[in-house]
């Protein structure tokens, strides 16, 4: 055989050199045979995994990593398995562990700050998805060839759902020197505050070059952790020292939250929040790119009257033909075959209206300018609401595409293009939906509502099948409105 | 579950097919087929525990209501049921879902949509069929439109798609129409299928993939 010496996995990946080895797994470099993409493959020995009862943990790690898509979190692409092995195919991070950078000594303040900013961004993101890492330490934090940080190893992570009735997590885990005092005390703890503590330890290590709490005697170390008893070396500047004290506060209640950290002046220095990198250009339904015209329709400045600008611009909605109309049937929506939480990833809604496009646009502008948090762009049949960046919150971009079925009958599709799910959900519930209800004849496919079923267990799951009944009341109202319009 | 004595080392469930074979005929990998089997087991035992997907089970999954009929869901069920024996077997499930894979060929998606809309399987989408489908959609959405309005919608689309003007849309006309309006087959792609192994990780325990194949 020609390929002798080369190991091919599942006819998809060519296995390369060993990158690292842990208690239960080996990590190899590998290459996707079809795309050429470099990946890291973590190989578990199934027999060992079963013997130590880790199978459930591995399955949980998969479900957790599946939820996470963030530039500072290592992505899990797929999972493979044979009779004796389990393979995690993951994003390949070429730079190595953050641990290696520190083991050569403390970092420059600016470098440490950049890593810390990215770490907090990533941890904040994980928390927003209901995931607590619980084992944050420099060995689990990787740095890629561009010097960007990536969190990995969610083997000990917990989901919000695993909280007990008191709303707290109860499992002690993590690595002693990085573990928060309330975790050690086994009293039940908030996953987010415990992760923040670990971030504080990492920041200390980056700035000092050694651990804040370290003692050969484990009991002595725990005592120090419980009291938050640590000393900063003289080269750590006063403002970062102050921040460290607020993060490494043994009382989780008074410990800084992520919001407070992000508002801190030392943290904010040179802070660049992750850009909405994957935001697609505003394009029409047939895929044509309209970026060039976009500038011409840039949002009106606050001085100009918003109403007039909407009247000046005539929308040119895409014509929705009979097959387009049919294609939106819930009967074609096979996502229902998959588990409920897969559906929850969709954040779009569609409604039918008899309101003319110019009025639909005015309505959207009214929403956008209400708290002047959005600027509005228009292109053919699409209205884009682009959130202005406010502090720590990520940018939100929402597209509303208007389709013409007949001159008196339009369909509007509203979907989130970029942004935090939780924020969109709030905006949808508080502003978008109530305002749009005034012009809606009937809603179709409200899928968005399942979004936060893990966030609020009392949340009613609304799937495509039930949305219409829920909106029946609005429908009656709107029908009357619609008739008045005609 | 009972254990059968069998000469082959694996107990064959009705309708089960070897993941290797299915993987070679579809865009799925062996592991993805095994992950789909985890999903299939759930769907096919939700009402009648026989390891086959019945129409009611399909409706239950789609609408959370086993009795909810829908013209389009019915059509999809019928097309998935390749053998036309009233149930979707595992092989049929995987082969049909393969068409919905983001990597599947556009021609396959276009052809599948055509068969879906050719309600009476005459090889043409007739005007009456299109009208019936528009009516079904409007009914499903609780929309009451005047008959004139519906006629106008159907006429306009037929005028655009039936380029030969013989009152029916044939496969070639359909292909041309779809290439002009690619969004028409947007519903033939399920992005979820790309991370199916992450969604149903239980397959890692039960996999039958030999190490030599790895």
């Amino acid at each position: 055989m020609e390929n002798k010496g080369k190991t091919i996995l599942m006819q998809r990946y060519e296995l390369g050199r060993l990158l690292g080895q842990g208690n239960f797994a080996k990590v190899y470099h590998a290459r996707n045979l079809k795309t050429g993409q470099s990946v890291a493959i973590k190989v578990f020995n199934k027999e060992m995994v079963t013997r130590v009862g880790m199978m459930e943990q591995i399955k949980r790690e998969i479900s957790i990593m599946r939820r996470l898509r963030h530039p500072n979190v290592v992505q899990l692409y797929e999972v493979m398995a044979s009779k004796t092995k389990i393979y995690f195919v993951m994003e390949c991070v070429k730079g190595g562990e953050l641990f290696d950078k520190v083991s050569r000594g403390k970092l420059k303040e600016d470098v440490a700050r950049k890593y810390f900013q990215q770490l907090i961004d990533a941890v904040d993101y994980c928390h927003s998805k209901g995931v607590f890492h619980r084992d944050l330490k420099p060995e689990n934090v990787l740095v890629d060839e561009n010097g960007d940080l990536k969190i990995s190893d969610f083997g000990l992570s917990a989901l919000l759902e695993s909280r007990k009735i008191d709303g707290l997590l109860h499992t002690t885990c993590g690595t002693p020197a990085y573990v928060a005092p309330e975790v050690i005390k086994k009293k039940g703890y908030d996953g987010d505050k415990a992760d923040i503590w670990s971030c504080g330890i990492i920041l200390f290590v980056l700035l000092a070059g050694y651990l804040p709490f370290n003692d050969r005697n484990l009991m002595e170390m725990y005592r120090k952790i419980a009291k938050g008893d640590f000393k900063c070396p003289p080269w750590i500047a006063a403002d970062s020292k102050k921040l460290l004290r607020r993060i490494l506060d043994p009382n989780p209640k008074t410990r800084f939250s992520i919001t407070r950290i992000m508002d801190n002046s030392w943290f904010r220095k040179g802070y660049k929040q992750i850009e909405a990198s994957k935001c697609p250009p505003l394009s029409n339904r047939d895929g044509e790119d309209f970026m060039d015209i976009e500038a011409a329709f840039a949002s009106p400045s606050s001085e100009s009257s918003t109403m007039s600008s909407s009247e000046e611009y005539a929308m040119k909605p895409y014509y929705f033909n009979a097959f387009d109309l049919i294609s939106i049937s819930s009967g074609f929506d096979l996502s229902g075959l998959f588990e409920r939480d897969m559906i929850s990833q969709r954040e779009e809604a569609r409604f039918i209206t008899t309101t003319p496009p110019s009025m639909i646009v005015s309505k959207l502008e009214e929403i956008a300018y209400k708290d002047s948090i959005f600027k509005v762009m228009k292109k053919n049949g699409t209205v884009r609401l682009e959130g202005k960046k406010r502090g720590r919150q990520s940018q939100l971009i929402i597209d509303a595409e208007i389709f013409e079925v007949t001159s008196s009958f339009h369909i509007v599709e509203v979907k989130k293009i970029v942004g935090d799910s939780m924020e969109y959900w709030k905006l949808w519930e508080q502003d978008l939906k109530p305002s749009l209800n005034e012009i809606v004849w009937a809603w179709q496919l409200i899928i968005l509502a399942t979004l936060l079923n893990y966030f609020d267990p009392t949340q009613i799951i609304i799937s495509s099948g039930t949305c219409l009944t829920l909106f029946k009341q609005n429908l009656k109202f709107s029908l009357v409105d619609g008739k008045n319009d005609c | 579950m009972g254990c059968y004595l069998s000469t082959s080392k694996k107990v064959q469930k009705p309708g089960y097919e070897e993941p290797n074979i299915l993987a070679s005929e579809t865009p799925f990998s062996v592991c993805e087929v095994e992950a789909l089997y985890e999903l299939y087991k759930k769907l096919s035992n939700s009402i009648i525990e026989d390891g086959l997907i019945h129409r009611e089970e399909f409706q239950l999954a789609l609408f959370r209501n086993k009795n909810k009929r829908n013209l389009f869901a019915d059509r999809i069920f019928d097309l998935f049921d390749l053998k036309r024996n009233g149930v979707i077997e595992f092989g049929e499930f995987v082969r049909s879902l393969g068409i919905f894979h983001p990597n599947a060929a556009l021609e396959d998606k276009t052809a599948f949509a055509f068969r879906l809309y050719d309600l009476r399987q005459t090889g043409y989408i007739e005007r009456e069929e299109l009208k019936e489908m528009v009516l079904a959609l409007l009914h499903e959405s609780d929309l009451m439109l005047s008959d004139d309005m519906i006629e106008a919608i159907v006429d306009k689309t037929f005028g655009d798609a039936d380029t030969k003007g013989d009152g029916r849309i044939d496969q070639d006309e359909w292909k041309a129409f779809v290439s002009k309006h690619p969004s028409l087959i947007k519903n033939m792609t399920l992005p979820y299928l790309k991370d199916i192994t992450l969604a149903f990780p239980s397959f890692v325990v039960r996999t039958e993939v030999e190490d030599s194949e790895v």
Side-chain angles (χ1 to χ4, degrees):
Chain A
M1 281 223 288
E2 280 179 23
N3 265 349
K4 212 168 177 200
K6 283 184 186 169
T7 316
I8 307 290
L9 281 181
M10 305 280 172
Q11 295 145 28
R12 272 156 96 94
Y13 299 96
E14 183 190 316
L15 218 56
R17 65 192 173 88
L18 184 70
L19 296 174
Q21 192 162 357
N23 289 337
F24 301 102
K26 287 179 178 172
V27 182
Y28 292 91
H29 180 262
R31 203 172 51 86
N32 185 319
L33 289 173
K34 224 191 252 164
T35 63
Q37 184 188 27
S38 269
V39 294
I41 296 189
K42 194 169 171 181
V43 187
F44 296 89
N45 179 322
K46 228 156 111 176
E47 196 209 317
M48 178 120 85
V49 164
T50 318
R51 203 171 52 218
V52 297
M54 244 178 52
M55 198 54 101
E56 281 312 307
Q57 190 179 316
I58 283 191
K59 282 199 246 169
R60 198 185 53 209
E61 185 174 353
I62 297 170
S63 326
I64 285 174
M65 289 191 74
R66 186 176 140 246
R67 290 186 178 197
L68 306 175
R69 291 270 162 90
H70 187 275
N72 298 117
V73 176
V74 170
Q75 197 188 328
L76 177 63
Y77 297 126
E78 69 171 315
V79 174
M80 307 186 298
S82 69
K83 278 182 171 165
T84 64
K85 304 255 188 338
I86 298 170
Y87 305 91
F88 280 16
V89 182
M90 299 182 298
E91 180 180 357
C92 180
V93 182
K94 285 200 180 102
E97 291 172 8
L98 184 57
F99 183 78
D100 298 331
K101 311 247 171 215
V102 195
S103 62
R104 279 174 241 139
K106 66 183 167 72
L107 302 180
K108 287 203 181 98
E109 191 184 20
D110 282 345
V111 179
R113 176 168 25 222
K114 189 189 112 185
Y115 287 144
F116 184 65
Q117 287 164 342
Q118 294 185 339
L119 176 68
I120 291 293
D121 260 348
V123 171
D124 187 34
Y125 170 81
C126 293
H127 291 177
S128 80
K129 295 278 169 189
V131 174
F132 306 113
H133 190 285
R134 305 201 296 178
D135 194 21
L136 287 167
K137 53 183 174 179
E139 295 90 320
N140 286 341
V141 176
L142 308 174
V143 177
D144 73 7
E145 69 261 49
N146 306 318
D148 287 322
L149 176 148
K150 307 252 181 196
I151 297 185
S152 78
D153 213 332
F154 284 80
L156 293 175
S157 301
L159 289 176
L160 207 52
E161 291 97 297
S162 54
R163 296 191 302 186
K164 293 204 178 152
I165 302 157
D166 59 5
L168 299 172
L169 296 164
H170 286 266
T171 330
T172 313
C173 50
T175 310
Y178 291 88
V179 166
E182 68 270 21
V183 180
I184 296 172
K185 285 180 192 153
K186 302 187 177 180
K187 269 188 173 166
Y189 56 92
D190 274 323
D192 54 346
K193 285 298 180 79
D195 274 351
I196 291 171
W197 172 276
S198 305
C199 290
I201 304 276
I202 292 176
L203 177 60
F204 185 97
V205 172
L206 296 179
L207 290 168
Y210 57 86
L211 285 161
F213 307 106
N214 206 1
D215 204 297
R216 285 226 177 127
N217 180 338
L218 204 61
M219 287 322 290
E220 180 58 19
M221 183 159 97
Y222 282 163
R223 198 192 56 78
K224 282 181 177 163
I225 292 173
K227 287 171 70 183
D229 177 10
F230 69 98
K231 283 195 186 68
C232 286
W235 60 80
I236 295 188
D239 47 355
S240 39
K241 221 179 267 181
K242 227 160 108 192
L243 178 61
L244 277 170
R245 292 262 169 229
R246 301 310 302 266
I247 301 176
L248 295 177
D249 175 348
N251 181 354
K253 292 209 171 68
T254 50
R255 185 179 308 149
F256 258 17
S257 64
I258 289 193
T259 318
R260 295 292 299 274
I261 294 174
M262 285 179 162
D263 286 340
N264 177 275
S265 60
W266 183 84
F267 178 91
R268 292 211 71 80
K269 198 176 165 197
Y271 177 55
K272 265 192 262 141
Q273 199 161 28
I274 313 304
E275 293 292 321
S277 52
K278 278 180 195 145
C279 175
L282 189 54
S283 62
N284 76 354
R285 199 166 168 85
D286 288 328
E288 257 180 88
D289 196 341
F290 278 82
M291 281 305 267
D292 48 337
I293 318 173
E294 198 167 308
F297 296 108
S299 74
S301 62
S302 47
E303 303 97 72
S304 73
S305 154
T306 57
M307 282 314 288
S308 68
S309 76
S310 76
E311 279 154 21
E312 279 160 23
Y313 181 62
M315 297 296 283
K316 292 193 257 350
Y318 171 84
Y319 174 68
F320 219 56
N321 66 49
F323 287 107
D324 285 310
L325 196 60
I326 295 166
S327 76
I328 66 174
S329 167
S330 59
F332 288 130
D333 189 12
L334 294 187
S335 50
L337 296 177
F338 301 88
E339 281 183 318
R340 202 183 269 161
D341 71 315
M342 288 187 92
I343 304 168
S344 70
Q345 293 170 356
R346 286 176 41 168
E347 290 158 343
E348 56 182 66
R350 201 184 280 126
F351 65 85
I352 297 159
T353 177
T354 52
T355 310
S358 60
M359 300 286 287
I360 302 171
V361 175
S362 312
K363 190 85 229 164
L364 289 163
E365 284 177 331
E366 191 188 308
I367 298 165
Y369 296 139
K370 202 179 114 200
D371 301 311
S372 62
I373 46 169
F374 287 101
K375 55 180 194 173
V376 178
M377 286 188 286
K378 287 166 272 183
K379 198 66 57 242
N380 294 327
T382 304
V383 177
R384 171 169 289 182
L385 308 188
E386 201 175 297
K388 293 172 185 160
K389 274 183 212 162
R390 291 166 299 154
R392 58 171 291 220
Q393 277 158 327
S394 66
Q395 195 185 18
L396 203 54
I397 296 178
I398 301 159
D399 274 3
E401 199 171 356
I402 305 171
F403 303 112
E404 179 185 330
V405 182
T406 72
S407 55
S408 57
F409 174 29
H410 290 78
I411 285 183
V412 185
E413 225 173 64
V414 184
K415 60 182 169 221
K416 189 196 87 178
I417 304 294
V418 198
D420 181 69
S421 302
M422 210 105 68
E423 253 180 82
Y424 181 58
W425 167 250
K426 253 196 277 167
L427 182 82
W428 173 258
E429 280 296 303
Q430 290 168 8
D431 293 322
L432 279 174
K433 197 172 72 183
S435 306
L436 290 173
N437 267 338
E438 296 165 21
I439 58 166
V440 167
W441 186 3
W443 285 99
Q444 206 246 357
L445 284 174
I446 310 289
I447 306 230
L448 161 124
T450 54
L451 189 65
L452 292 177
N453 53 17
Y454 65 87
F455 178 63
D456 177 6
T458 60
Q459 194 65 61
I460 305 161
I461 312 291
I462 307 175
S463 71
S464 54
T466 55
C467 67
L468 284 173
T469 40
L470 274 163
F471 285 99
K472 272 277 154 60
Q473 278 190 314
N474 298 322
L475 184 72
K476 276 181 204 147
F477 262 97
S478 314
L479 269 175
V480 178
D481 282 355
K483 274 175 192 151
N484 288 345
D485 260 13
C486 287
Chain B
M1 282 282 121
C3 204
Y4 302 88
L5 275 177
S6 159
T7 44
S8 83
K9 62 186 169 138
K10 179 133 199 272
V11 177
Q12 296 293 312
K13 299 261 167 54
Y16 184 81
E17 272 184 71
E18 278 303 319
N20 277 325
I21 296 168
L22 291 171
S24 67
E25 294 175 15
T26 60
F28 299 111
S29 69
V30 180
C31 289
E32 284 169 333
V33 173
E34 290 189 318
L36 279 174
Y37 190 59
E38 296 298 318
L39 166 64
Y40 181 83
K41 275 192 297 190
K42 276 189 205 169
L43 296 175
S44 62
N45 293 310
S46 65
I47 299 172
I48 305 160
E49 282 187 50
D50 61 354
L52 298 163
I53 299 178
H54 295 256
R55 199 178 290 274
E56 291 75 19
E57 289 172 321
F58 191 69
Q59 284 158 1
L60 179 67
L62 243 43
F63 306 119
R64 315 261 175 264
N65 175 352
K66 70 182 167 92
N67 296 319
K68 185 174 169 180
R69 296 293 289 254
N70 172 298
L71 173 68
F72 304 104
D74 268 353
R75 286 298 298 150
I76 292 207
F77 185 91
D78 293 342
L79 288 194
F80 271 48
D81 176 16
L82 297 164
K83 290 185 192 156
R84 314 208 125 270
N85 56 353
V87 289
I88 301 174
E89 296 172 5
F90 182 57
E92 295 172 332
F93 185 69
V94 176
R95 287 191 179 87
S96 303
L97 273 182
I99 293 165
F100 290 80
H101 194 285
N103 295 348
L106 282 182
E107 300 89 82
D108 294 347
K109 292 176 191 286
T110 310
F112 191 86
F114 184 86
R115 281 188 287 148
L116 213 53
Y117 296 147
D118 176 13
L119 298 179
R120 285 175 263 289
Q121 298 140 61
T122 54
Y124 302 95
I125 302 172
E126 269 130 299
R127 199 184 172 286
E128 270 317 294
E129 290 170 327
L130 182 59
K131 188 174 173 189
E132 187 181 335
M133 293 188 283
V134 170
L135 283 171
L137 183 275
L138 293 175
H139 179 72
E140 169 192 328
S141 314
D142 274 354
L143 285 177
M144 254 76 81
L145 292 192
S146 69
D147 199 50
D148 288 352
M149 222 161 161
I150 296 165
E151 289 288 329
I153 294 171
V154 174
D155 277 342
K156 170 105 172 61
T157 300
F158 239 79
D160 292 345
D162 177 22
T163 45
K164 291 172 194 157
D166 59 354
R168 53 190 196 178
I169 298 168
D170 64 27
Q171 296 224 32
D172 292 336
E173 288 170 331
W174 175 249
K175 271 184 218 157
F177 194 59
V178 170
S179 66
K180 241 168 67 189
H181 306 282
S183 60
L184 282 182
I185 52 165
K186 230 169 65 174
N187 60 355
M188 294 291 120
T189 296
L190 273 169
Y192 310 118
L193 292 175
K194 270 207 148 166
D195 66 9
I196 200 82
T197 59
L198 306 184
F200 301 99
S202 297
F203 80 91
V204 301
V205 183
R206 281 178 274 264
T207 179
E208 287 296 319
V209 175
E210 298 290 341
D211 290 290
S212 57
E213 294 167 29
V214 173

